Amino acid sequence: MRAWVLLSAVLWYLTGVGWQRNSERTEKGFIYGKPGHPVKVYVKLHHNSPVLVCMDFKRAEKETVDPTYLWVGPNEKQLSGSNRINITNTGKLTVKDFLEPLSGLYTCSFSYKTIKAETQEEKIVKQRYDFMIFAYREPDYSYQMAVRFTTKSCVGKYNDLLFRVLKKILDNLIFDLSCHIIEPSYKCHFVKVPKHGLIHELFIAFQVNPFAPGWKGTCNESTDCEDTTNHNILQARNRIEEFFRSQAYIFNHDLNKTLPAMHFVDHSFQIWFVVLGLLVLMLMLHVRPAFPSKSTELNHASKFQHED
């Protein structure tokens, strides 16, 4: 199924089911271990690593008696506190000013005791947690994008669901390029359209990032990793632009049916070129009023048509 068909189906019939994001990172920025499964962590060069916890999340929620922690670095030597390595007495590890040679496998051996209340019998439980840490550099450039969709109202669950669906579709479009969508956001505004009065529109913004999980696998010894990420980010940009062009084509060329209440606003897609922290306008398709009395539905799957 093409991406625009999937989006069209959702626009016609929005259910109350969203997608949950699974991540080891908590709101505090901690990354917990997973028994039997290495946790991949990506750290920008010359930045501090996130806080790695020598414990899984479930165990962290429970009482732990006489815990001990032993961290071993990529060189298979025991880690201890230094001006670069910080280890707390509760087993939390942070690597400061991360450099590429520091990439590799970080392992923590964790042990604690269980005690039977009636006999005071002690038992030692041991667990190992692995963290694969990779250093990365920013590519030479990236892209900031913005787009708009009409909506029935600025209040309600459907706006948030549309936002999540759109992000998922765009992530799927560029998944094989090891790129993903970051910093997505949206706001709902009232817009006065000439000859059509006020309408509600979602102003959606996001950035395309070339460091999705697994991006390191796209690089190899004979290829400059920075060149690879630059190439991938360009391909991702092209795919996303083509996706929204298809939305505009449907909007303008199949005029026999009525648009759903939530639909892409023609000529609203915008791209900014991000270079080494500088935001440069590269392509901007100015928003023009687009509210014809007749146009196409974004999908011919009539089973998705429902009235609220």
Side-chain angles (χ1 to χ4, degrees):
M1 178 182 288
R2 292 177 61 181
W4 66 262
V5 175
L6 177 57
L7 178 61
S8 304
V10 173
L11 293 177
W12 275 109
Y13 179 59
L14 291 175
T15 67
V17 180
W19 285 269
Q20 297 180 352
R21 300 175 184 177
N22 295 321
S23 175
E24 296 85 10
R25 189 186 294 263
T26 67
E27 292 181 359
K28 294 183 179 180
F30 295 170
I31 296 182
Y32 290 84
K34 284 188 174 182
H37 299 279
V39 176
K40 294 182 180 180
V41 182
Y42 299 87
V43 183
K44 186 176 179 179
L45 283 175
H46 303 294
H47 284 63
N48 294 345
S49 74
V51 178
L52 307 183
V53 183
C54 184
M55 197 177 291
D56 58 82
F57 187 78
K58 290 182 178 180
R59 167 47 52 185
E61 294 292 299
K62 301 177 181 179
E63 181 181 73
T64 304
V65 179
D66 291 340
T68 63
Y69 314 91
L70 176 64
W71 280 96
V72 174
N75 56 5
E76 298 186 358
K77 293 183 179 180
Q78 180 178 342
L79 297 175
S80 59
S82 66
N83 60 349
R84 189 180 296 276
I85 302 294
N86 181 54
I87 301 176
T88 70
N89 58 3
T90 56
K92 297 180 178 66
L93 169 70
T94 305
V95 184
K96 301 178 181 179
D97 189 24
F98 202 84
L99 300 176
E100 193 165 359
L102 297 173
S103 297
L105 176 64
Y106 287 73
T107 297
C108 181
S109 298
F110 168 57
S111 67
Y112 63 96
K113 294 178 181 178
T114 60
I115 303 175
K116 290 186 177 181
E118 64 274 20
T119 63
Q120 293 298 300
E121 179 184 353
E122 298 180 3
K123 180 180 179 181
I124 297 178
V125 180
K126 296 182 179 181
Q127 184 63 60
R128 167 177 165 166
Y129 301 102
D130 292 335
F131 300 83
M132 289 297 300
I133 307 182
F134 302 97
Y136 72 86
R137 293 182 295 168
E138 291 285 6
D140 291 337
Y141 62 89
S142 185
Y143 293 100
Q144 185 77 27
M145 301 183 181
V147 68
R148 287 160 65 170
F149 278 77
T150 64
T151 182
K152 284 185 177 181
S153 171
C154 285
V155 180
K157 63 184 179 182
Y158 295 139
N159 295 337
D160 187 61
L161 184 55
L162 169 63
F163 175 69
R164 291 174 180 270
V165 169
L166 180 62
K167 179 184 181 299
K168 185 176 182 68
I169 290 173
L170 297 179
D171 274 332
N172 288 339
L173 277 176
I174 59 179
F175 174 77
D176 63 308
L177 299 172
S178 297
C179 295
H180 63 158
I181 303 301
I182 64 170
E183 300 179 4
S185 64
Y186 79 91
K187 290 184 178 181
C188 189
H189 297 280
F190 298 101
V191 179
K192 173 62 174 69
V193 179
K195 300 180 182 180
H196 291 283
L198 288 173
I199 61 173
H200 302 82
E201 288 190 6
L202 301 178
F203 287 58
I204 300 172
F206 55 91
Q207 186 172 338
V208 183
N209 181 279
F211 300 119
W215 70 272
K216 192 77 173 181
T218 64
C219 303
N220 55 58
E221 295 181 358
S222 61
T223 302
D224 188 324
C225 191
E226 192 165 326
D227 287 344
T228 300
T229 54
N230 285 337
H231 172 78
N232 287 349
I233 200 71
L234 177 60
Q235 295 301 310
R237 171 223 187 257
N238 291 341
R239 290 185 188 181
I240 293 174
E241 182 179 2
E242 178 60 29
F243 168 74
F244 286 111
R245 287 188 184 279
S246 71
Q247 296 296 309
Y249 180 87
I250 296 168
F251 186 96
N252 287 312
H253 289 79
D254 189 355
L255 303 179
N256 297 322
K257 298 180 181 179
T258 304
L259 280 172
M262 303 181 79
H263 64 266
F264 170 71
V265 176
D266 194 18
H267 299 288
S268 69
F269 181 57
Q270 303 173 48
I271 303 177
W272 289 271
F273 191 52
V274 183
V275 183
L276 298 178
L278 299 177
L279 198 60
V280 181
L281 182 62
M282 180 176 181
L283 172 64
M284 181 172 180
L285 303 178
H286 293 286
V287 176
R288 297 202 304 263
F291 206 74
S293 59
K294 287 187 177 181
S295 185
T296 178
E297 63 185 15
L298 298 184
N299 182 21
H300 297 294
S302 59
K303 64 180 180 179
F304 288 99
Q305 297 185 27
H306 261 264
E307 296 182 0
D308 292 341

